[in-house]
Every structure is written in structure tokens, then in C-alpha cells.
Amino acid sequence: MRTWIVAVAAAVLLCAVVGATYWSPAAVAAVACAGVLMVGIGWPQLLGVPARKTLSTVISLAGIVAVLLASIAPAGMALAWTVVVIALGVIAVFMVQLIRGTGQPHRLESTFGASSGLLLAVLGAGWVAAERLSANSADSGMMLVTGVSMLMAVAVCVLPWPDRLVAPLGVVLAVLTGALGAALASSVPMLPAALVGAVAGGIIVCFRRLILADGGPTKLPAMLAVGAAPVLSSGALVYFLEKMLLG
């Protein structure tokens, strides 16, 4: 696996998300939808499951619907419909397996694998919800600090070192980057920036472990999906942490 392709995909998506926050919430939604498509197209290829086109469609549609609902929902309930979208998406995945008929190979792997990809795609709506928080809608710089912290963790994950070194180093540097960014930006509180950096950095390094455990993807769509997945999945956690810490 070419680790740098995965890292570049994650870094580009992160930069696009952060850049879109300085434009408009609609731009953030558009970038999140692009990330959803990356996961939707590449995730079934990564798993090597049957009915890839159908499952890609289900994953992509669920993620896009979640992003759109997060854009139009009331500000304090931006992710209120996310659980419903996940439930309906998982039901759709089961329906795909039923349509395939009995006795088809890899039905269990296909069901659980597609459901996990669907969950990752839907969580990307968290970036839209986070941008709609009052602290971020005023361009406080919190989203920029969060993005830079995650970029630091992505950069560490490229190092050809064992996980026992990369994992703690990635989290520590993400925390330090968040704290330093908050110190440089007077409008960003240091403790929330450090905590968000720790959680987001932890997600990045955990995905590195999962990716390398099985040798990693070999096809480009799968690599792009693996790069986009941790970025999207961080969205909901960033939203809840910033909502709790920043109000």
C-alpha cells in the first residue's frame, strides 16, 4: 500500500473542510458530500464484498442525506436526524442482501462491512453541524486549529515506525498543536482546542492501525476511501465536543 496516497487524501479533504468554513456552510456541506462519495465508492472495494455498486449507492446516498439534513435542521438539533438516517441505511443494506437471495457468498461480511462504511459516511455530517455552532459561525478559528491538529496526526502516521511509537506521538503532537494554535489565536480557548486535538488525533492514529493490520488497500478508490474515512468520522465527535466545551 502507498501510505502517502492515503495521507494526501486525508490532508486534502481536511484542508477543503477547513477552507470551506471561511466561505459558507453550503461550501462545507459540498465538501462533506465529496468526502462521502470517496467513502461510498471506495469502501466496498476496500472490503472486496459482492454487490459493490449497489452498496456504494446506499452508502453514498445515506451520507449525502445526512449532510443535507444537518444543513437545514434547526441549529441546536443539527444531528437530530442522523440516527434515523443510519437506521434506514442499515435497513437498506439488509434489503440488498435479501434481494441477492439465499446461499450467496460473503453475505455476513458484506452486511457488516457496508454498515460500517455507511456509519463513517453519515458521521461526516458532523462537520456541517460543527460549522453551524455559534462559536464557529463567527470564524473564531476553532475549526482551523482543529484541522491543523489533525493534519499533524496525519503527518505522523506517514512515518515508517511501529504503532507503539506512532500512536502516542500522533496524539501528543495533535494536542500540542491544538494548544499552540489556541495560544496564537486569542479567540480560541486552549483547553477545548487541546481536547479536540487529542480526540481527533486519536481517531487518525487508530485508523492507521486498522489499515496496516491487514496490509492496507491496493486500489486507488479504496485508498481514497481509507483517507477520507477518519476525517468524516471525526466530524460528529468534533461537533459534540465543541458544543459541550464552547456552548
Side-chain angles (χ1 to χ4, degrees), residues 169-187:
L169 180 62
V171 174
V172 169
L173 289 182
V175 172
L176 294 178
T177 301
L180 178 60
L184 296 176
S186 58
S187 59

PDB file of all heavy atoms in Angstrom, residues 169-187:
ATOM      1  N   LEU A 169       2.823   9.367  19.698  1.00  0.00           N
ATOM      2  CA  LEU A 169       3.416  10.575  19.136  1.00  0.00           C
ATOM      3  C   LEU A 169       2.376  11.392  18.372  1.00  0.00           C
ATOM      4  O   LEU A 169       2.331  12.625  18.483  1.00  0.00           O
ATOM      5  CB  LEU A 169       4.577  10.203  18.217  1.00  0.00           C
ATOM      6  CG  LEU A 169       5.312  11.387  17.544  1.00  0.00           C
ATOM      7  CD1 LEU A 169       5.943  12.275  18.596  1.00  0.00           C
ATOM      8  CD2 LEU A 169       6.378  10.868  16.577  1.00  0.00           C
ATOM      9  N   GLY A 170       1.518  10.704  17.599  1.00  0.00           N
ATOM     10  CA  GLY A 170       0.495  11.407  16.847  1.00  0.00           C
ATOM     11  C   GLY A 170      -0.483  12.128  17.750  1.00  0.00           C
ATOM     12  O   GLY A 170      -0.855  13.284  17.486  1.00  0.00           O
ATOM     13  N   VAL A 171      -0.905  11.478  18.838  1.00  0.00           N
ATOM     14  CA  VAL A 171      -1.857  12.102  19.758  1.00  0.00           C
ATOM     15  C   VAL A 171      -1.208  13.279  20.484  1.00  0.00           C
ATOM     16  O   VAL A 171      -1.800  14.365  20.605  1.00  0.00           O
ATOM     17  CB  VAL A 171      -2.385  11.065  20.767  1.00  0.00           C
ATOM     18  CG1 VAL A 171      -3.266  11.735  21.814  1.00  0.00           C
ATOM     19  CG2 VAL A 171      -3.175   9.982  20.043  1.00  0.00           C
ATOM     20  N   VAL A 172       0.018  13.084  20.967  1.00  0.00           N
ATOM     21  CA  VAL A 172       0.707  14.148  21.709  1.00  0.00           C
ATOM     22  C   VAL A 172       0.920  15.382  20.838  1.00  0.00           C
ATOM     23  O   VAL A 172       0.666  16.517  21.251  1.00  0.00           O
ATOM     24  CB  VAL A 172       2.047  13.629  22.264  1.00  0.00           C
ATOM     25  CG1 VAL A 172       2.889  14.784  22.799  1.00  0.00           C
ATOM     26  CG2 VAL A 172       1.803  12.610  23.371  1.00  0.00           C
ATOM     27  N   LEU A 173       1.365  15.161  19.609  1.00  0.00           N
ATOM     28  CA  LEU A 173       1.602  16.297  18.722  1.00  0.00           C
ATOM     29  C   LEU A 173       0.296  16.981  18.329  1.00  0.00           C
ATOM     30  O   LEU A 173       0.260  18.200  18.151  1.00  0.00           O
ATOM     31  CB  LEU A 173       2.360  15.841  17.478  1.00  0.00           C
ATOM     32  CG  LEU A 173       3.823  15.466  17.697  1.00  0.00           C
ATOM     33  CD1 LEU A 173       4.487  15.067  16.382  1.00  0.00           C
ATOM     34  CD2 LEU A 173       4.594  16.624  18.329  1.00  0.00           C
ATOM     35  N   ALA A 174      -0.776  16.207  18.196  1.00  0.00           N
ATOM     36  CA  ALA A 174      -2.073  16.818  17.907  1.00  0.00           C
ATOM     37  C   ALA A 174      -2.528  17.703  19.066  1.00  0.00           C
ATOM     38  O   ALA A 174      -3.053  18.803  18.855  1.00  0.00           O
ATOM     39  CB  ALA A 174      -3.110  15.739  17.619  1.00  0.00           C
ATOM     40  N   VAL A 175      -2.311  17.236  20.289  1.00  0.00           N
ATOM     41  CA  VAL A 175      -2.662  18.032  21.467  1.00  0.00           C
ATOM     42  C   VAL A 175      -1.819  19.304  21.533  1.00  0.00           C
ATOM     43  O   VAL A 175      -2.341  20.410  21.751  1.00  0.00           O
ATOM     44  CB  VAL A 175      -2.479  17.203  22.746  1.00  0.00           C
ATOM     45  CG1 VAL A 175      -2.646  18.085  23.981  1.00  0.00           C
ATOM     46  CG2 VAL A 175      -3.470  16.058  22.789  1.00  0.00           C
ATOM     47  N   LEU A 176      -0.509  19.152  21.342  1.00  0.00           N
ATOM     48  CA  LEU A 176       0.381  20.311  21.405  1.00  0.00           C
ATOM     49  C   LEU A 176       0.072  21.311  20.297  1.00  0.00           C
ATOM     50  O   LEU A 176       0.120  22.527  20.511  1.00  0.00           O
ATOM     51  CB  LEU A 176       1.839  19.853  21.309  1.00  0.00           C
ATOM     52  CG  LEU A 176       2.362  19.020  22.490  1.00  0.00           C
ATOM     53  CD1 LEU A 176       3.794  18.583  22.243  1.00  0.00           C
ATOM     54  CD2 LEU A 176       2.267  19.821  23.785  1.00  0.00           C
ATOM     55  N   THR A 177      -0.260  20.793  19.116  1.00  0.00           N
ATOM     56  CA  THR A 177      -0.609  21.684  18.005  1.00  0.00           C
ATOM     57  C   THR A 177      -1.878  22.459  18.313  1.00  0.00           C
ATOM     58  O   THR A 177      -1.973  23.658  18.044  1.00  0.00           O
ATOM     59  CB  THR A 177      -0.792  20.874  16.710  1.00  0.00           C
ATOM     60  OG1 THR A 177       0.418  20.171  16.423  1.00  0.00           O
ATOM     61  CG2 THR A 177      -1.120  21.794  15.546  1.00  0.00           C
ATOM     62  N   GLY A 178      -2.868  21.766  18.896  1.00  0.00           N
ATOM     63  CA  GLY A 178      -4.101  22.446  19.268  1.00  0.00           C
ATOM     64  C   GLY A 178      -3.861  23.521  20.323  1.00  0.00           C
ATOM     65  O   GLY A 178      -4.396  24.634  20.219  1.00  0.00           O
ATOM     66  N   ALA A 179      -3.059  23.198  21.330  1.00  0.00           N
ATOM     67  CA  ALA A 179      -2.768  24.174  22.386  1.00  0.00           C
ATOM     68  C   ALA A 179      -1.978  25.359  21.841  1.00  0.00           C
ATOM     69  O   ALA A 179      -2.242  26.521  22.184  1.00  0.00           O
ATOM     70  CB  ALA A 179      -1.985  23.488  23.515  1.00  0.00           C
ATOM     71  N   LEU A 180      -1.004  25.082  20.978  1.00  0.00           N
ATOM     72  CA  LEU A 180      -0.208  26.165  20.401  1.00  0.00           C
ATOM     73  C   LEU A 180      -1.063  27.045  19.499  1.00  0.00           C
ATOM     74  O   LEU A 180      -0.958  28.277  19.515  1.00  0.00           O
ATOM     75  CB  LEU A 180       0.964  25.577  19.608  1.00  0.00           C
ATOM     76  CG  LEU A 180       1.882  26.580  18.893  1.00  0.00           C
ATOM     77  CD1 LEU A 180       2.512  27.532  19.911  1.00  0.00           C
ATOM     78  CD2 LEU A 180       2.956  25.854  18.103  1.00  0.00           C
ATOM     79  N   GLY A 181      -1.926  26.401  18.705  1.00  0.00           N
ATOM     80  CA  GLY A 181      -2.809  27.183  17.846  1.00  0.00           C
ATOM     81  C   GLY A 181      -3.731  28.072  18.650  1.00  0.00           C
ATOM     82  O   GLY A 181      -3.998  29.218  18.274  1.00  0.00           O
ATOM     83  N   ALA A 182      -4.233  27.561  19.778  1.00  0.00           N
ATOM     84  CA  ALA A 182      -5.095  28.373  20.638  1.00  0.00           C
ATOM     85  C   ALA A 182      -4.324  29.530  21.249  1.00  0.00           C
ATOM     86  O   ALA A 182      -4.865  30.627  21.430  1.00  0.00           O
ATOM     87  CB  ALA A 182      -5.695  27.495  21.733  1.00  0.00           C
ATOM     88  N   ALA A 183      -3.048  29.285  21.577  1.00  0.00           N
ATOM     89  CA  ALA A 183      -2.230  30.363  22.137  1.00  0.00           C
ATOM     90  C   ALA A 183      -1.984  31.477  21.129  1.00  0.00           C
ATOM     91  O   ALA A 183      -1.929  32.655  21.487  1.00  0.00           O
ATOM     92  CB  ALA A 183      -0.902  29.795  22.626  1.00  0.00           C
ATOM     93  N   LEU A 184      -1.859  31.089  19.863  1.00  0.00           N
ATOM     94  CA  LEU A 184      -1.623  32.091  18.816  1.00  0.00           C
ATOM     95  C   LEU A 184      -2.910  32.803  18.416  1.00  0.00           C
ATOM     96  O   LEU A 184      -2.870  33.963  17.987  1.00  0.00           O
ATOM     97  CB  LEU A 184      -0.996  31.413  17.592  1.00  0.00           C
ATOM     98  CG  LEU A 184       0.395  30.807  17.806  1.00  0.00           C
ATOM     99  CD1 LEU A 184       0.862  30.083  16.546  1.00  0.00           C
ATOM    100  CD2 LEU A 184       1.400  31.886  18.208  1.00  0.00           C
ATOM    101  N   ALA A 185      -4.040  32.113  18.514  1.00  0.00           N
ATOM    102  CA  ALA A 185      -5.334  32.717  18.173  1.00  0.00           C
ATOM    103  C   ALA A 185      -6.068  33.037  19.469  1.00  0.00           C
ATOM    104  O   ALA A 185      -6.552  32.140  20.156  1.00  0.00           O
ATOM    105  CB  ALA A 185      -6.156  31.764  17.312  1.00  0.00           C
ATOM    106  N   SER A 186      -6.134  34.284  19.803  1.00  0.00           N
ATOM    107  CA  SER A 186      -6.690  34.696  21.087  1.00  0.00           C
ATOM    108  C   SER A 186      -8.166  34.347  21.240  1.00  0.00           C
ATOM    109  O   SER A 186      -8.674  34.249  22.358  1.00  0.00           O
ATOM    110  CB  SER A 186      -6.504  36.204  21.269  1.00  0.00           C
ATOM    111  OG  SER A 186      -7.122  36.906  20.211  1.00  0.00           O
ATOM    112  N   SER A 187      -8.865  34.118  20.121  1.00  0.00           N
ATOM    113  CA  SER A 187     -10.299  33.836  20.194  1.00  0.00           C
ATOM    114  C   SER A 187     -10.599  32.361  20.445  1.00  0.00           C
ATOM    115  O   SER A 187     -11.758  31.985  20.593  1.00  0.00           O
ATOM    116  CB  SER A 187     -10.982  34.273  18.893  1.00  0.00           C
ATOM    117  OG  SER A 187     -10.405  33.594  17.781  1.00  0.00           O
TER     118      SER A 187
END
